[in-house]
Amino acid sequence: FKQKTAYEIKECDWSSDVCSSDLKKSMESNFSYELLLAIAKQESVFNVRLISRSGDYGLMQLRPSTARWIAKQLGVSNYNLLDYKTNIDFAVYYLSYLRQYWDTKGLSGNLLTDRVILSYNKGIQGASSYVSYHKANSSYVYNVRLYQHQFENR
Protein backbone atom coordinates (compact mmCIF):
# COMPACT_ATOMS: atom_id res chain seq x y z
CA PHE A 1 0.00 0.00 0.00
CA LYS A 2 1.06 3.58 -0.52
CA GLN A 3 2.44 5.01 2.72
CA LYS A 4 1.28 8.44 3.80
CA THR A 5 2.88 10.79 6.28
CA ALA A 6 1.09 12.77 8.96
CA TYR A 7 1.41 15.83 6.75
CA GLU A 8 -0.48 14.15 3.91
CA ILE A 9 -3.43 13.30 6.14
CA LYS A 10 -4.77 16.84 6.42
CA GLU A 11 -7.78 15.97 8.59
CA CYS A 12 -5.60 14.09 11.04
CA ASP A 13 -4.51 16.51 13.74
CA TRP A 14 -2.54 13.89 15.64
CA SER A 15 1.04 14.52 16.54
CA SER A 16 3.48 12.87 14.18
CA ASP A 17 4.18 10.32 16.97
CA VAL A 18 0.59 9.10 16.84
CA CYS A 19 0.60 8.85 13.06
CA SER A 20 3.96 7.07 13.13
CA SER A 21 2.66 4.60 15.71
CA ASP A 22 -0.45 3.93 13.62
CA LEU A 23 1.63 3.50 10.46
CA LYS A 24 4.02 1.10 12.22
CA LYS A 25 1.16 -1.03 13.56
CA SER A 26 -0.53 -1.11 10.15
CA MET A 27 2.64 -2.45 8.54
CA GLU A 28 3.08 -5.07 11.28
CA SER A 29 -0.54 -6.25 11.03
CA ASN A 30 -1.16 -6.09 7.27
CA PHE A 31 -4.07 -3.70 7.82
CA SER A 32 -3.79 -0.67 5.62
CA TYR A 33 -2.82 2.58 7.26
CA GLU A 34 -5.85 4.19 5.63
CA LEU A 35 -8.20 1.60 7.15
CA LEU A 36 -6.82 2.24 10.64
CA LEU A 37 -7.19 5.99 10.08
CA ALA A 38 -10.75 5.47 8.86
CA ILE A 39 -11.71 3.46 11.94
CA ALA A 40 -10.10 6.07 14.21
CA LYS A 41 -11.99 8.85 12.43
CA GLN A 42 -15.30 6.98 12.73
CA GLU A 43 -14.72 6.01 16.34
CA SER A 44 -13.26 9.17 17.89
CA VAL A 45 -12.70 11.78 15.18
CA PHE A 46 -9.03 11.38 16.14
CA ASN A 47 -9.57 12.36 19.79
CA VAL A 48 -7.01 10.31 21.71
CA ARG A 49 -8.55 11.29 25.07
CA LEU A 50 -12.20 10.61 24.24
CA ILE A 51 -14.32 8.65 26.70
CA SER A 52 -17.72 8.06 25.14
CA ARG A 53 -21.06 8.08 26.95
CA SER A 54 -21.11 4.30 26.55
CA GLY A 55 -17.73 4.06 28.31
CA ASP A 56 -15.46 3.36 25.33
CA TYR A 57 -11.93 4.76 25.55
CA GLY A 58 -9.44 6.57 23.39
CA LEU A 59 -8.59 6.91 19.76
CA MET A 60 -10.02 3.55 18.69
CA GLN A 61 -12.84 3.59 21.30
CA LEU A 62 -12.17 0.30 23.05
CA ARG A 63 -14.64 -1.12 25.55
CA PRO A 64 -13.08 -1.88 28.93
CA SER A 65 -14.29 -5.50 28.77
CA THR A 66 -12.70 -5.97 25.34
CA ALA A 67 -9.50 -4.32 26.55
CA ARG A 68 -9.35 -6.65 29.59
CA TRP A 69 -9.68 -9.66 27.27
CA ILE A 70 -6.96 -8.29 24.94
CA ALA A 71 -4.66 -7.52 27.88
CA LYS A 72 -5.10 -11.09 29.13
CA GLN A 73 -4.30 -12.47 25.66
CA LEU A 74 -1.19 -10.28 25.48
CA GLY A 75 -0.10 -10.96 29.07
CA VAL A 76 -0.40 -7.29 29.99
CA SER A 77 -1.51 -6.46 33.52
CA ASN A 78 -1.10 -2.70 33.62
CA TYR A 79 -2.35 -0.52 30.74
CA ASN A 80 -3.92 2.85 30.03
CA LEU A 81 -6.50 2.99 27.23
CA LEU A 82 -6.01 6.74 26.90
CA ASP A 83 -2.38 6.15 25.93
CA TYR A 84 -2.59 6.22 22.13
CA LYS A 85 0.10 3.57 21.61
CA THR A 86 -1.67 1.11 23.90
CA ASN A 87 -5.02 1.97 22.34
CA ILE A 88 -3.71 1.38 18.81
CA ASP A 89 -1.88 -1.81 19.85
CA PHE A 90 -5.00 -3.24 21.48
CA ALA A 91 -7.24 -2.22 18.57
CA VAL A 92 -4.93 -3.79 16.00
CA TYR A 93 -4.72 -6.97 18.07
CA TYR A 94 -8.52 -7.11 18.19
CA LEU A 95 -8.86 -6.39 14.45
CA SER A 96 -6.35 -9.18 13.74
CA TYR A 97 -8.32 -11.54 15.97
CA LEU A 98 -11.54 -10.64 14.14
CA ARG A 99 -9.89 -11.12 10.74
CA GLN A 100 -8.62 -14.55 11.77
CA TYR A 101 -12.05 -15.50 13.13
CA TRP A 102 -13.91 -14.55 9.93
CA ASP A 103 -11.18 -16.01 7.73
CA THR A 104 -11.77 -19.41 9.36
CA LYS A 105 -15.45 -19.01 8.41
CA GLY A 106 -14.45 -18.84 4.74
CA LEU A 107 -14.72 -15.11 4.15
CA SER A 108 -12.16 -13.31 2.02
CA GLY A 109 -11.49 -10.06 0.19
CA ASN A 110 -13.85 -7.14 0.70
CA LEU A 111 -16.45 -9.31 2.41
CA LEU A 112 -13.87 -10.33 5.01
CA THR A 113 -12.79 -6.74 5.58
CA ASP A 114 -16.39 -5.53 5.84
CA ARG A 115 -17.20 -8.25 8.40
CA VAL A 116 -14.10 -7.34 10.42
CA ILE A 117 -15.16 -3.68 10.42
CA LEU A 118 -18.73 -4.58 11.40
CA SER A 119 -17.46 -6.89 14.17
CA TYR A 120 -15.19 -4.17 15.49
CA ASN A 121 -18.31 -2.09 15.99
CA LYS A 122 -20.85 -4.74 17.05
CA GLY A 123 -18.76 -7.68 18.24
CA ILE A 124 -18.81 -11.10 16.58
CA GLN A 125 -22.28 -12.04 17.82
CA GLY A 126 -23.69 -8.62 16.93
CA ALA A 127 -22.20 -8.78 13.44
CA SER A 128 -23.56 -12.29 12.92
CA SER A 129 -27.04 -11.15 13.97
CA TYR A 130 -26.83 -8.05 11.83
CA VAL A 131 -25.94 -9.90 8.61
CA SER A 132 -28.71 -12.43 9.29
CA TYR A 133 -31.35 -9.70 9.11
CA HIS A 134 -29.88 -7.07 6.78
CA LYS A 135 -28.82 -7.33 3.16
CA ALA A 136 -26.90 -4.04 3.08
CA ASN A 137 -23.87 -3.04 5.11
CA SER A 138 -24.38 -0.99 8.22
CA SER A 139 -23.85 2.76 8.17
CA TYR A 140 -20.78 2.13 10.33
CA VAL A 141 -19.14 -0.04 7.64
CA TYR A 142 -20.23 2.42 4.96
CA ASN A 143 -18.66 5.36 6.82
CA VAL A 144 -15.41 3.52 7.55
CA ARG A 145 -15.08 2.46 3.90
CA LEU A 146 -15.88 6.00 2.73
CA TYR A 147 -13.22 7.47 5.03
CA GLN A 148 -10.76 4.79 3.94
CA HIS A 149 -11.38 5.69 0.29
CA GLN A 150 -10.92 9.40 1.08
CA PHE A 151 -7.60 8.73 2.84
CA GLU A 152 -6.39 6.50 -0.01
CA ASN A 153 -7.06 9.23 -2.55
CA ARG A 154 -5.17 12.05 -0.88
Side-chain angles (χ1 to χ4, degrees):
F1 62 90
K2 185 171 102 179
Q3 295 180 4
K4 297 187 186 285
T5 68
Y7 304 104
E8 293 172 347
I9 307 296
K10 305 254 187 287
E11 286 183 334
C12 179
D13 62 354
W14 304 349
S15 70
S16 60
D17 287 344
V18 176
C19 286
S20 295
S21 182
D22 204 39
L23 178 59
K24 182 179 178 216
K25 288 309 291 185
S26 72
M27 290 191 294
E28 291 171 1
S29 67
N30 292 321
F31 285 106
S32 77
Y33 179 53
E34 294 83 3
L35 177 60
L36 295 181
L37 284 174
I39 292 171
K41 181 175 180 179
Q42 176 66 28
E43 289 289 338
S44 69
V45 194
F46 304 117
N47 183 345
V48 298
R49 299 264 177 235
L50 181 66
I51 301 173
S52 72
R53 281 184 241 139
S54 61
D56 300 338
Y57 283 78
L59 181 69
M60 304 297 278
Q61 287 293 283
L62 292 166
R63 291 180 189 260
S65 59
T66 302
R68 281 191 297 277
W69 176 82
I70 293 166
K72 184 177 180 183
Q73 301 304 307
L74 296 173
V76 175
S77 58
N78 190 16
Y79 58 90
N80 176 1
L81 290 178
L82 294 178
D83 172 72
Y84 69 84
K85 288 181 182 180
T86 300
N87 199 275
I88 292 168
D89 286 349
F90 279 29
V92 169
Y93 180 88
Y94 187 51
L95 286 163
S96 297
Y97 168 80
L98 294 170
R99 180 175 52 200
Q100 182 179 5
Y101 176 86
W102 290 112
D103 183 61
T104 64
K105 303 296 182 199
L107 300 182
S108 61
N110 285 332
L111 183 58
L112 173 62
T113 302
D114 287 350
R115 194 68 55 87
V116 168
I117 294 167
L118 184 62
S119 297
Y120 188 82
N121 179 244
K122 295 186 176 294
I124 290 172
Q125 296 292 349
S128 295
S129 293
Y130 184 89
V131 297
S132 295
Y133 295 104
H134 300 88
K135 293 188 192 273
N137 266 334
S138 74
S139 60
Y140 181 88
V141 173
Y142 175 82
N143 288 342
V144 168
R145 289 303 217 159
L146 178 65
Y147 297 146
Q148 180 184 11
H149 180 72
Q150 290 169 351
F151 288 127
E152 288 169 348
N153 290 302
R154 289 187 179 222

